[in-house]
Amino acid sequence: MSSQPTLGRVDSMDQFRGFTVLSMFIVNFAHFQAISPFWKHNDNYVTFADWIMPGFIFAVGFSYRLTILKRLEKFSALTTYSTYFRRSLALILVSLMLYGFGGEFKNWSDFSAEETIQVDDGDSGMMKEVKVRKTTQFIMRLIKSNLWEVLSIIAVCQIFVMPVIAAGPLVRFLAMIGCLVFHMLFSWWFNWGFVHGYEHNWMVQLWETGGNRCWDGGFFGIMSWSVAMLAGSLVYDILATNTRKNAGGKIFLFAAVFMIIGYILSCGTRFYDTPLPAAPEKPAAKKEASEKEGGDKKASDEKAKDQKEKAEPAKAEPAKEEPAKEEPAKESQAKDKKAEDKKAEDKKTAGEKATDKKEEGKKEEGKPAKDKKAKGKPGKGKKGKEKKPKPLLKQMANNAPQKPGDVAKYAQDPMIPDFSKAAGRGLSDLLAEPPFVMPPHPDQKSVNDRLKKRDELEAMPELDEKQQKELEQLNRSLLGAQHYEYGRQWNYWMMYKRMVSVSFILFATGVAIAIYALFILLSDINGMHIGVFRTFGMNPLAAYAIHHVVGHSMHNLAPNDSPLWYCWFITFVFMAINYLFVRHLEKHNIFIRL
């Protein structure tokens, strides 16, 4: 156990926690069409919304370290740790009661019903359908993905870091590094495919969860979220062993290191840039290019023929030269015949082609099952001998996109970038976009086309009703969108909240720490105290539970397509109602702490 000095109540942390709660209200309620993506969660880059959850967990880590050191001074280790373990389980129960189980049993018979999922058929490499009990799948999906709301994540992180929370700073720093490294290794091994619900992934098959996807990292995301909690405990150490002024500077430096490393790691996403598809060539230009190519080829053929005739010895008799004169005519006839045959072939209807394919499929069905299986079996050579995939290729198969819509969106190998793409590119071309800026979309050409259409409509002097409506829809769907000359497939190295990638958790936690350093300056050093922040900051669990109930009711008055002014008005009303409830609890000294 560390001999770290303990602190009393820290005003700056109460203010920071209150600011985090208030920010959460905006983000969780104001997800209207007219609201900028800056205020919303975006899986593939960091916005204002994305530092809030790491900020909560960071604040919990700070308080966790503070309170456990105080309790260990008064009680035995067994009593102290068992208390935190029970409180963590209680927090999971609160989360389940607020957000549900992610599934339901509508009829009594559902408890004994079965669900169909796809699994890998062993050595054949093919997928087959199997039946699993619905109750088993319900439990496994709950553990994999449906459980992981912020309260459950905090609770499990508390249990996960419990063995080191009272240890010295070096132990906790090494534990933090270990969490980052193991999250990367697990993601390379299986976790990318597991999170995205790739049915051929061995972990998906082991858990029998089918195509179920995770959010906020799922079961194995706890490793990344624990980084924020451990960072909070380290910041507590800095504050406890330094004056407020010195602590503020050191904590801001700590934040800068987190953000810089997170951004540098995110630059790996530039190796997943993809060229935009070429625009279809116009018919007239295509015909002109074809004619030009044909003319150039004809001239080249004639030139080659002349050179050949000059090179031949003049021994042939005149009578034997006549067939050579007829040769061009024969060639011409052959070409005409070939063109007619091609034209007749092109006249085949789509129905005839479909019939041919159907007949071909029937022939294939008529082949022995063994032959068909061998044909569909990957990794076989000409002699039919199976080539066992190397471990790396096997891992890539577990993480490679499987669903049709995922092939273009997600990279084939999301973990190991193709470093050969760095050739010929300057440093600026290898840097990721600044944080809070929307990166290229996998289908960036479609985005560029819509941006162009929007600009054309905006340039028109007058718009009819249909054009005005189209412009409004484009403006809302393109909020934050940028024009890029390349697309980008999604990968592990982008700041990806669904995976809780290392670049995301480091940068977002760094932002939270930097904001806290600012509150040290404002509150602890300069004495600034904002009542709203204090009210929410001293009762965050109550505020969190109340906002969930209030939000459920208030969204009935908040259509998704509301104009911008109404979006912010109803959001303000929502926050005011929450404040009245939590302030009432504060006046009566009612605080809910787990």
Side-chain angles (χ1 to χ4, degrees):
M1 186 186 77
S2 173
S3 58
Q4 178 73 46
T6 56
L7 295 173
R9 191 157 199 95
V10 182
D11 291 337
S12 58
M13 181 50 67
D14 286 337
Q15 292 287 300
F16 168 80
R17 203 184 290 113
F19 175 72
T20 306
V21 170
L22 199 63
S23 300
M24 175 192 66
F25 288 168
I26 297 173
V27 168
N28 287 359
F29 186 81
H31 42 74
F32 306 98
Q33 291 178 5
I35 297 292
S36 168
F38 177 79
W39 301 100
K40 302 175 183 177
H41 290 295
N42 296 274
D43 275 341
N44 59 333
Y45 71 107
V46 165
T47 60
F48 176 84
D50 292 317
W51 74 268
I52 295 171
M53 189 167 168
F56 260 123
I57 299 172
F58 158 77
V60 170
F62 184 100
S63 300
Y64 193 10
R65 174 74 173 169
L66 185 155
T67 57
I68 204 165
L69 292 179
K70 284 185 174 181
R71 282 187 161 270
L72 286 171
E73 291 176 353
K74 299 177 182 179
F75 307 102
S76 67
L78 179 62
T79 302
T80 300
Y81 288 116
S82 61
T83 300
Y84 280 97
F85 186 79
R86 290 195 306 271
R87 289 180 175 184
S88 296
L89 294 181
L91 200 55
I92 293 173
L93 182 61
V94 171
S95 178
L96 288 172
M97 294 305 100
L98 285 174
Y99 291 101
F101 295 88
E104 60 181 346
F105 296 92
K106 293 184 178 179
N107 303 301
W108 179 254
S109 59
D110 288 346
F111 284 100
S112 56
E114 292 183 329
E115 295 281 345
T116 301
I117 63 170
Q118 298 277 339
V119 299
D120 194 340
D121 187 18
D123 294 334
S124 71
M126 307 295 287
M127 301 296 289
K128 68 175 182 180
E129 292 185 348
V130 298
K131 300 284 187 180
V132 297
R133 290 182 64 85
K134 189 173 181 179
T135 50
T136 302
Q137 191 178 71
F138 172 84
I139 293 169
M140 298 310 292
R141 286 186 172 183
L142 176 67
I143 298 171
K144 175 188 174 180
S145 60
N146 296 331
L147 175 65
W148 305 108
E149 298 291 344
V150 62
L151 296 182
S152 291
I153 290 171
I154 288 172
V156 177
C157 282
Q158 286 185 158
I159 297 172
F160 187 70
V161 305
M162 192 177 289
V164 300
I165 191 64
L170 180 60
V171 173
R172 282 173 286 130
F173 177 78
L174 292 176
M176 187 170 64
I177 299 298
C179 287
L180 293 170
V181 171
F182 274 101
H183 190 269
M184 287 189 287
L185 289 175
F186 278 28
S187 298
W188 172 82
W189 185 15
F190 62 83
N191 196 42
W192 176 277
F194 183 65
V195 167
H196 292 88
Y198 296 159
E199 292 178 331
H200 58 282
N201 180 277
W202 68 268
M203 186 63 76
V204 169
Q205 294 182 29
L206 180 66
W207 287 45
E208 297 183 340
T209 52
N212 173 253
R213 297 190 178 194
C214 302
W215 51 84
D216 291 344
F219 181 79
F220 296 99
I222 292 301
M223 287 182 288
S224 281
W225 292 121
S226 294
V227 170
M229 188 168 286
L230 290 168
S233 74
L234 292 170
V235 167
Y236 170 84
D237 289 355
I238 297 173
L239 198 69
T241 56
N242 291 271
T243 63
R244 289 294 191 266
K245 186 177 290 187
N246 290 339
K250 289 180 179 179
I251 290 171
F252 187 81
L253 181 61
F254 191 46
V257 170
F258 264 64
M259 288 189 285
I260 290 169
I261 295 174
Y263 174 74
I264 290 172
L265 290 173
S266 76
C267 292
T269 194
R270 290 304 305 267
F271 295 102
Y272 293 90
D273 291 352
T274 56
L276 298 183
E281 197 173 357
K282 292 182 180 179
K286 193 174 181 180
K287 185 178 179 183
E288 184 181 344
S290 179
E291 289 176 354
K292 185 179 179 183
E293 185 180 349
D296 292 344
K297 188 176 180 183
K298 187 176 179 182
S300 177
D301 291 344
E302 289 178 357
K303 187 176 180 182
K305 188 176 178 183
D306 291 342
Q307 289 176 350
K308 186 177 179 183
E309 288 175 354
K310 289 178 182 179
E312 289 178 355
K315 290 181 180 179
E317 294 180 2
K320 293 181 180 179
E321 291 178 2
E322 290 180 9
K325 291 179 181 178
E326 293 175 4
E327 190 67 20
K330 288 181 180 179
E331 287 180 4
S332 176
Q333 290 174 5
K335 284 181 181 178
D336 292 341
K337 189 174 184 307
K338 189 175 180 182
E340 288 175 8
D341 292 343
K342 189 175 186 302
K343 191 173 181 181
E345 186 181 347
D346 290 341
K347 284 182 179 179
K348 254 190 176 183
T349 63
E352 289 172 337
K353 289 182 180 180
T355 305
D356 291 344
K357 287 182 180 178
K358 190 174 180 182
E359 290 176 359
E360 188 179 334
K362 287 180 179 178
K363 288 179 183 177
E364 187 70 27
E365 287 177 6
K367 290 184 181 180
K370 187 176 179 181
D371 292 342
K372 283 180 71 179
K373 189 175 180 181
K375 185 176 180 182
K377 195 168 182 178
K380 287 203 170 190
K382 292 181 180 179
K383 294 183 180 180
K385 292 181 180 179
E386 185 179 356
K387 296 180 180 178
K388 291 185 178 180
K390 296 179 181 179
L392 174 61
L393 298 180
K394 188 174 181 182
Q395 173 273 329
M396 286 171 60
N398 273 277
N399 281 332
Q402 175 203 12
K403 300 178 182 179
D406 288 352
V407 174
K409 183 176 180 180
Y410 299 104
Q412 185 71 19
D413 185 358
M415 295 300 303
I416 303 179
D418 181 4
F419 292 106
S420 65
K421 290 186 177 181
R425 297 169 69 176
L427 179 61
S428 60
D429 289 335
L430 295 175
L431 294 177
E433 295 73 30
F436 312 110
V437 174
M438 187 179 291
H441 191 272
D443 185 15
Q444 184 61 33
K445 185 179 183 301
S446 173
V447 176
N448 289 348
D449 290 343
R450 288 187 292 137
L451 285 169
K452 183 179 178 182
K453 179 66 176 176
R454 184 189 66 181
D455 294 342
E456 290 173 354
L457 289 172
E458 288 178 342
M460 295 174 67
E462 291 184 8
L463 299 176
D464 58 31
E465 186 177 348
K466 184 179 178 181
Q467 290 171 329
Q468 186 65 40
K469 189 173 182 181
E470 183 182 8
L471 180 59
E472 289 176 2
Q473 291 175 343
L474 285 171
N475 280 329
R476 291 190 175 190
S477 65
L478 292 171
L479 282 172
Q482 307 282 326
H483 181 92
Y484 293 98
E485 296 300 328
Y486 50 88
R488 183 175 301 152
Q489 291 182 307
W490 286 22
N491 58 87
Y492 180 82
W493 303 104
M494 63 187 188
M495 295 186 186
Y496 192 13
K497 186 173 181 283
R498 179 186 287 272
M499 280 296 298
V500 200
S501 62
V502 291
S503 60
F504 167 82
I505 194 62
L506 286 173
F507 186 85
T509 303
V511 172
I513 298 171
I515 293 172
Y516 176 61
L518 181 62
F519 274 102
I520 292 174
L521 174 65
L522 296 175
S523 300
D524 291 344
I525 297 176
N526 292 322
M528 184 197 78
H529 298 281
I530 298 176
V532 176
F533 292 167
R534 183 202 65 244
T535 298
F536 289 137
M538 294 183 69
N539 218 351
L541 183 57
Y544 186 85
I546 290 169
H547 108 282
H548 179 74
V549 177
V550 174
H552 183 74
S553 299
M554 291 295 296
H555 270 299
N556 295 325
L557 305 176
N560 196 36
D561 61 349
S562 301
L564 186 60
W565 70 267
Y566 184 77
C567 294
W568 287 118
F569 168 75
I570 199 69
T571 300
F572 175 79
V573 173
F574 163 75
M575 291 190 294
I577 293 172
N578 279 283
Y579 174 74
L580 291 175
F581 280 119
V582 182
R583 176 63 180 147
H584 177 78
L585 295 178
E586 183 185 24
K587 285 181 178 179
H588 291 80
N589 292 320
I590 300 173
F591 300 97
I592 303 174
R593 296 191 181 96
L594 288 176

